[in-house]
Amino acid sequence: MGVFIMDESLEIIKRPIYLNRLLPYVGKNLIKVLTGQRRVGKSYILKSVAQYIKEFDSDANIITVDLEDFAFSHITDAQSLHKEISTRLKEGSKNYIFIDEVQEVENFDKVIRSLNLNPANDIYITGSNSKMLSSEMASKLAGRRIEMQVHPLSYTEFLDFHKKEDSDIAMTEYLRFGGLPYLVNLPQQNTWSEYISGVTDAVVYRDIVSRHSLRNNDFLQRLLLFMADNVGQLFTAKKIADYLKSQRISSSVVSVLTYAGYVEEAFIVNRSRRWDIEGKRFFEIGEKYFFEDLGIRNSIVGFRPHDISGLMENAVYNHLRICGYDVKIGVLSGGREIDFVAEKDGERLYVQVAMTVANDTTAEREFGNLTSIPDNYEKIVVTYRDSFPNSFKGIKTMTLREFLISKS
């Protein structure tokens, strides 16, 4: 499992979870779009695809454009991007075109659409802005693209990358440092936090501040701090606006929603809406935000023992999404909450997350909410370390480690 390493001389570690989804589309006249936060390994997954192509097509014409590389700094607009690629196309061969961080070029979609008209061109692009690569492209490239989001390493990938055995220590490291793939190249853990902090700054300032020409950076920093400090807590724009005002920072509900949207577009956080399980409808207000990478979350607010419950919930949410589930926050009558309602391929899974169910009060709350759901879909309670009892009225109990491995 893995990601390409920055130094080409180093071993390439594969990430089958993404390659297995992507390889069936190789050679097909569909634009392959990989989205995700910066530094999660999108470009290196494309490099592994290119390696795969070379193995079965010795005549393949591989064209790579990395718009973060200074070597391509001459590409400043759609025209220069088209010229760069057009001059490298090869007649009589299949052209495999890889464009990294394509959102750096304005009107890039026009170039992609033009190149895609030729069935000899097989196109792959990556980007770090969800709005630019999803909402806008959805209408312009409807029916001609497939999109896949690349996430930081799952727990099992983390173990594989770092050659670790599953253990409480490994789980604590995962909750603390997250899953940025390049950490494998930094064997000394005392350098990991510095690297993660650098990535955080790059994502915040490049993909939010610079892209949107923001002037109120203090507002953004306080908003990120609040989000990091309240992982898994109910989020309303008014609540955040009131908090920021208490910090003597001028804010409004509109500003909070706008800035939160920017943070989500940059894949720093993911928003999960509340869903009425019995009424089968979404609530109009109130949602929860979870960080795409726990290491980035901890670089913002610090790694603190009393945050374990929220980090657990964030890790379970992330894992469900890595496994391809659509994830919502469940709400039952009386405001009772089911942490996650996860759906995939017509199946549903209910998950409650708790530090422990060792005492009667906690067990009654966690199991009770699940037993009151009137269907027979799988239900699981995830605890930190203890998994007693193993089941209750058909509801499984699993430790966080067991869940993150068994649901891979």
Side-chain angles (χ1 to χ4, degrees):
M1 299 173 161
V3 65
F4 274 80
I5 307 306
M6 301 295 282
D7 183 343
E8 297 289 349
S9 67
L10 297 179
E11 177 189 3
I12 294 171
I13 312 173
K14 307 288 186 182
R15 297 182 73 180
I17 190 171
Y18 301 107
L19 291 177
N20 291 341
R21 295 175 189 172
L22 196 57
L23 292 183
Y25 296 101
V26 171
K28 303 297 189 294
N29 191 223
L30 289 168
I31 300 161
K32 276 66 76 174
V33 183
L34 271 63
T35 61
Q37 188 183 91
R38 288 186 188 271
R39 303 296 176 260
V40 295
K42 301 184 298 295
S43 59
Y44 301 135
I45 288 173
L46 289 192
K47 288 183 180 180
S48 68
V49 172
Q51 184 184 62
Y52 166 82
I53 290 169
K54 291 175 183 178
E55 290 175 358
F56 78 82
D57 184 359
S58 58
D59 294 325
N61 182 34
I62 307 292
I63 300 172
T64 302
V65 176
D66 182 355
L67 292 167
E68 286 195 307
D69 190 333
F70 184 74
F72 296 100
S73 59
H74 60 282
I75 298 177
T76 57
D77 52 28
Q79 288 76 16
S80 53
L81 175 62
H82 188 267
K83 181 179 179 181
E84 171 70 29
I85 295 172
S86 296
T87 57
R88 295 166 64 185
L89 295 175
K90 186 177 178 182
E91 288 190 24
S93 296
K94 189 77 172 180
N95 299 297
Y96 297 91
I97 304 167
F98 298 87
I99 309 175
D100 211 9
E101 298 299 347
V102 72
Q103 80 279 346
E104 300 295 335
V105 175
E106 190 174 357
N107 295 321
F108 67 86
D109 58 285
K110 296 180 180 179
V111 179
I112 302 303
R113 281 185 294 174
S114 176
L115 292 169
N116 193 54
L117 293 175
N118 185 348
N121 296 334
D122 190 19
I123 304 169
Y124 304 78
I125 62 177
T126 77
S128 305
N129 184 284
S130 64
K131 182 178 180 181
M132 187 167 293
L133 285 162
S134 295
S135 302
E136 296 178 13
M137 285 187 68
S139 58
K140 295 175 181 177
L141 300 174
R144 290 175 287 176
R145 72 182 182 99
I146 60 106
E147 181 180 338
M148 181 176 73
Q149 183 175 349
V150 178
H151 301 277
L153 304 180
S154 68
Y155 177 57
T156 52
E157 286 182 310
F158 178 85
L159 295 176
D160 187 56
F161 265 53
H162 296 281
K163 297 180 172 57
K164 293 179 178 291
E165 296 294 326
D166 173 36
S167 67
D168 287 343
I169 292 175
M171 176 56 66
T172 300
E173 291 176 349
Y174 182 65
L175 294 178
R176 179 179 180 182
F177 296 110
L180 294 180
Y182 193 73
L183 292 179
V184 73
N185 294 324
L186 306 173
Q188 301 300 320
Q189 280 194 3
N190 58 6
T191 66
W192 287 13
S193 294
E194 184 177 355
Y195 171 77
I196 296 169
S197 180
V199 172
T200 304
D201 289 343
V203 173
V204 169
Y205 288 104
R206 186 166 185 176
D207 293 331
I208 301 180
V209 176
S210 296
R211 180 166 302 283
H212 299 286
S213 301
L214 302 185
R215 296 181 178 179
N216 196 347
N217 293 347
D218 192 34
F219 180 92
L220 175 63
Q221 292 290 348
R222 293 301 180 101
L223 176 62
L224 283 167
L225 185 62
F226 185 93
M227 287 177 156
D229 206 26
N230 292 273
V231 166
Q233 301 300 312
L234 192 62
F235 179 106
T236 65
K238 186 179 185 306
K239 179 179 178 181
I240 308 304
D242 290 343
Y243 161 78
L244 292 173
K245 286 178 182 177
S246 73
Q247 302 295 305
R248 298 182 179 180
I249 297 176
S250 177
S251 64
S252 67
V253 169
V254 173
S255 296
V256 170
L257 289 173
T258 299
Y259 275 60
Y262 294 156
V263 175
E264 187 178 6
E265 285 173 18
F267 295 101
I268 296 175
V269 299
N270 296 294
R271 179 170 63 104
S272 189
R273 298 176 64 188
R274 297 165 70 234
W275 189 66
D276 184 343
I277 294 175
E278 295 154 321
K280 294 181 170 50
R281 62 181 179 84
F282 284 104
F283 288 89
E284 293 184 3
I285 60 172
E287 56 263 326
K288 293 186 178 183
Y289 284 89
F290 298 96
F291 276 76
E292 177 72 355
D293 182 73
L294 292 176
I296 285 182
R297 179 268 175 192
N298 295 332
S299 76
I300 294 171
V301 76
F303 178 71
R304 304 166 302 194
H306 66 267
D307 291 336
I308 292 297
S309 179
L311 293 174
M312 278 182 62
E313 195 169 335
N314 203 141
V316 169
Y317 173 83
N318 287 352
H319 191 70
L320 288 168
R321 294 190 73 244
I322 289 171
C323 292
Y325 286 95
D326 175 60
V327 188
K328 303 181 283 285
I329 309 302
V331 180
L332 294 164
S333 60
R336 293 171 299 158
E337 186 175 285
I338 303 298
D339 289 328
F340 301 118
V341 180
E343 294 182 306
K344 180 174 69 171
D345 300 330
E347 293 295 315
R348 186 178 299 166
L349 171 67
Y350 299 100
V351 183
Q352 288 283 71
V353 183
M355 283 294 293
T356 179
V357 289
N359 64 73
D360 293 340
T361 302
T362 304
E364 182 178 348
R365 181 181 68 245
E366 305 301 344
F367 286 107
N369 287 351
L370 290 174
T371 57
S372 63
I373 299 173
D375 64 41
N376 296 316
Y377 288 113
E378 185 177 10
K379 302 171 178 68
I380 300 174
V381 173
V382 178
T383 62
Y384 188 41
R385 286 181 177 160
D386 67 270
S387 57
F388 177 83
N390 291 325
S391 65
F392 176 79
K393 294 184 178 180
I395 299 170
K396 297 178 184 177
T397 305
M398 305 174 73
T399 66
L400 181 60
R401 285 167 50 196
E402 290 170 341
F403 181 81
L404 297 188
I405 290 175
S406 69
K407 287 298 172 182
S408 295

